[in-house]
Amino acid sequence: MKDIRAMLAMAARTRIHDIWRPLVAGIVMLLMFIGFSSHSQAAIDVVRLRQVMQAEYGSVGESIINQWLALIERLRGEDIATQLHEVNDFFNDNMRWLEDHTIWGESDYWATPAEALGRGAGDCEDFSIAKYMTLKELGTPIDKLRMIYVRARIGRSAISQAHMVLGYYETPASEPLILDNLVTTIRRAGQRNDLDPLFSFNGSGLWAGASTQSRADPMARLSRWRSVIERMQRQGIN
C-alpha cells in the first residue's frame, strides 16, 4: 500500500512538473517579450497613439498607424541602408504631396507623423519630419540626421522654390544622403544639383548652409519645430 501511495505521489509530482514546466517557460517568454516591447517602443506610447488616431481619423487612421508601427518593428536591427530606403518609400507611398492651406487651411503648418498619416497627405516639411522621427525611433543617432531647408529648382523651367528634405550623415562632415518626396530615389547631395542648401536642423542643433558648426538651439529659434514636438508628445510620440 505504501508503495502504491508513493507511486501515486510520484506520478502526481511528475504530472504537476510536466504541467508547470511549459507554463513557467511560457511565462518567462511572455515576460521577455513584454520587456523587449517596452524597451523597443520606449519613445512611443502605443496605446495613447492608437487612441488619438481612432478618435481623430477613425479606423482608417488606426490602420495606417498600425502599419507604421509594424514597419518600425520589422526594421529594428536591419542595416541602415535598408532602414533609410524602406522609411523613405513608406512615407512617399502612403502620403500625397499637398499644400498646407489645402490640408490644414493654414499657410505653413508642420504636421506630426500621426497627423500626416491620418490625412494621408503633407507638404515637404511633413514628409521630412515623419522620416526623421521614424529613423530616430529605430535608433539612428540624431547627429546623423538633419532636416535641410533648400531652394529646389523644379521642372524644365527650373523654377526655384523653398523645399525641405531629410539628410543622413555618416559623419558630421560627410556628404549626406538625401531622402526626398520629389526625387524619390535616395541620392548623395552631390548628385542633387537641383538643391541649394539654406540651413539644416535636428533635435539638438541648427546649421547655416553647409556648415558643420551648430549656430543655435532649434527649439528656441524655430517655433514651428517647438510646436510639432509638443503635439507629438501629446499624441504619444517622444
Side-chain angles (χ1 to χ4, degrees), residues 81-132:
T82 298
Q83 292 178 342
L84 291 173
H85 282 88
E86 294 215 23
V87 168
N88 192 52
D89 289 346
F90 179 82
F91 289 101
N92 290 345
D93 291 344
N94 285 284
M95 289 167 50
R96 295 179 298 148
W97 182 89
L98 289 175
E99 294 183 353
D100 284 333
H101 68 77
T102 302
I103 307 171
W104 304 104
E106 298 185 21
S107 60
D108 192 9
Y109 182 86
W110 291 15
T112 70
E115 292 166 345
L117 288 172
R119 294 295 180 99
D123 69 355
C124 57
E125 290 95 348
D126 306 332
F127 280 90
S128 298
I129 291 168
K131 294 170 186 179
Y132 171 87

Side-chain angles (χ1 to χ4, degrees), residues 109-110 112 219 222-232 234:
Y109 182 86
W110 291 15
T112 70
M219 291 288 283
L222 301 174
S223 61
R224 289 184 176 84
W225 177 239
R226 185 167 61 250
S227 174
V228 77
I229 290 292
E230 291 169 354
R231 278 181 281 117
M232 281 192 288
R234 291 196 295 269

Side-chain angles (χ1 to χ4, degrees), residues 127-174:
F127 280 90
S128 298
I129 291 168
K131 294 170 186 179
Y132 171 87
M133 292 304 299
T134 305
L135 290 164
K136 177 174 173 283
E137 173 64 18
L138 285 168
T140 306
I142 62 171
D143 62 1
K144 293 180 179 290
L145 299 170
R146 292 189 207 169
M147 287 158 284
I148 309 171
Y149 253 118
V150 300
R151 294 297 300 182
R153 292 179 294 280
I154 299 174
R156 293 182 178 179
S157 60
I159 295 174
S160 177
Q161 68 178 47
H163 183 52
M164 184 187 282
V165 297
L166 178 65
Y168 171 78
Y169 296 74
E170 182 60 35
T171 70
S174 295

Side-chain angles (χ1 to χ4, degrees), residues 30-42 73 76:
L30 177 60
L31 291 173
M32 288 176 64
F33 174 76
I34 291 171
F36 171 76
S37 296
S38 61
H39 172 75
S40 66
Q41 293 189 348
E73 287 309 307
R76 290 192 191 279

Side-chain angles (χ1 to χ4, degrees), residues 6 15 57 65 75 80-81 97 136 138 175 218:
R15 286 196 299 270
Y57 306 105
I65 214 68
L75 290 179
I80 187 62
W97 182 89
K136 177 174 173 283
L138 285 168
E175 179 184 39

